[in-house]
Amino acid sequence: MTLSPRTEMTRLAWAVLAIAAAATLPWIATSYYLAIGVTIAMFTVLATSWAIFSGPTHYISLATAAFYGVGTYTTGLLIETLPYWTILAVAGLIGAVGAALVGLATLRLSGVYFVIFTLGLAEFVRQVLTWVQNVAGQKGIYVLTQITEAQIYWQLLGLAALVWLAGWLIGRSRLGFALRIIGDDEDVARHSGINTALAKVMLFMIPGVAAAMTGAILAPRYVYIEPAVAFSPMLSFQVVIMALLGGTGRLWGPLVGVIPFTFLWEAISSSFPNQTTLLLGLCFLLIVYLLPRGFVGLFHDLRYRGSGAAARAEAGA
């Protein structure tokens, strides 16, 4: 559905107001709710950038933890030698280059082969870093800075705004149109003259950059980082679940999944700390079975039924 320029501007204005309102959280919230806000902002960046790629292409990527961990270690290794803002730029550049290389090597794969490769990527990088640190006699890295929780939250909120803007622009570009054709039928897109490999690689770079920069921003929050924490595979599954719960059909869909799932996961982690992996898998199964198109799909179904009922009532009158 094509919206009028006035409607587009109105929606953008509401988005700016929402971001401005969210930016006030550190001034009005307790430390606990600020920590929850940081988690929500983090997963908003990760899930939205994931949906920008996986939504139109239908490629399920589990590489989030790999790029996130690389960004975390970028801050840990460079914090003593480079200015902080330069480190974030370096992390984004590494994420872009890494995603491009991975994309060129794997995006010709499809289905379960792509899923398996991206899942194994984070584990491969984690094992390599673990081996390197063991050889060097080092178990982890300390990240000691003066960066506060509020500053981390504002940085993540700004990154989320940039990711949303990128998704909005892509959705209205020729690249976005090409990706929708690829998602419907890649063979048709290829025969139509679309360079499907290049389009997918370009889009895959967005979650790579976003995840690497998110990891770099959050490194000071950990204080001490090690491969098992930075490259946790559970992070990749959480991002997929949140994006699917909200729905990938709209740019704002992942946020609708991030907020309720963050509070649900907080309750699960505190009440059942030894069963988190089991409950994570259960959540995934329930979402796929009960909400295959997420809250966005449910909303549109209810809206369609409501408009259909209204039309039938008007016709009957």
Side-chain angles (χ1 to χ4, degrees), residues 152-244:
I152 291 174
Y153 172 77
W154 283 321
Q155 290 174 51
L156 290 172
L157 189 63
L159 184 57
L162 291 176
V163 170
W164 276 327
L165 179 60
W168 184 80
L169 292 173
I170 289 172
R172 286 147 186 81
S173 67
R174 294 180 64 183
L175 175 60
F177 178 71
L179 289 165
R180 286 190 290 273
I181 297 176
I182 292 172
D184 291 336
D185 194 318
E186 190 165 340
D187 290 331
V188 171
R190 192 179 298 110
H191 292 148
S192 300
I194 296 173
N195 190 333
T196 58
L198 178 61
K200 290 185 292 184
V201 168
M202 290 177 63
L203 202 65
F204 190 59
M205 291 170 67
I206 293 177
V209 172
M213 293 187 70
T214 300
I217 291 171
L218 282 164
R221 194 188 195 203
Y222 292 118
V223 180
Y224 180 79
I225 57 175
E226 55 184 352
V229 174
F231 295 93
S232 172
M234 186 173 289
L235 177 68
S236 296
F237 286 102
Q238 286 176 305
V239 169
V240 173
I241 289 173
M242 291 180 182
L244 294 180

Side-chain angles (χ1 to χ4, degrees), residues 54-175:
S54 295
T57 63
H58 306 308
Y59 277 69
I60 303 299
S61 170
L62 294 175
T64 302
F67 297 114
Y68 179 89
V70 167
T72 303
Y73 265 82
T74 300
T75 298
L77 294 171
L78 300 179
I79 194 65
E80 300 292 336
T81 58
L82 290 179
Y84 176 72
W85 295 107
T86 304
I87 293 173
L88 298 187
V90 171
L93 179 61
I94 293 174
V97 173
L101 293 175
V102 172
L104 288 171
T106 65
L107 284 173
R108 297 183 184 278
L109 302 174
S110 61
V112 68
Y113 302 104
F114 179 77
V115 176
I116 292 173
F117 184 93
T118 54
L119 176 62
L121 179 64
E123 183 63 20
F124 172 75
V125 178
R126 183 174 75 87
Q127 293 296 338
V128 169
L129 277 175
T130 301
W131 177 78
V132 170
Q133 289 189 340
N134 288 337
V135 171
Q138 185 181 17
K139 295 299 182 183
I141 301 176
Y142 283 98
V143 184
L144 304 176
T145 70
Q146 300 298 318
I147 298 173
T148 65
E149 189 93 334
Q151 291 170 334
I152 291 174
Y153 172 77
W154 283 321
Q155 290 174 51
L156 290 172
L157 189 63
L159 184 57
L162 291 176
V163 170
W164 276 327
L165 179 60
W168 184 80
L169 292 173
I170 289 172
R172 286 147 186 81
S173 67
R174 294 180 64 183
L175 175 60

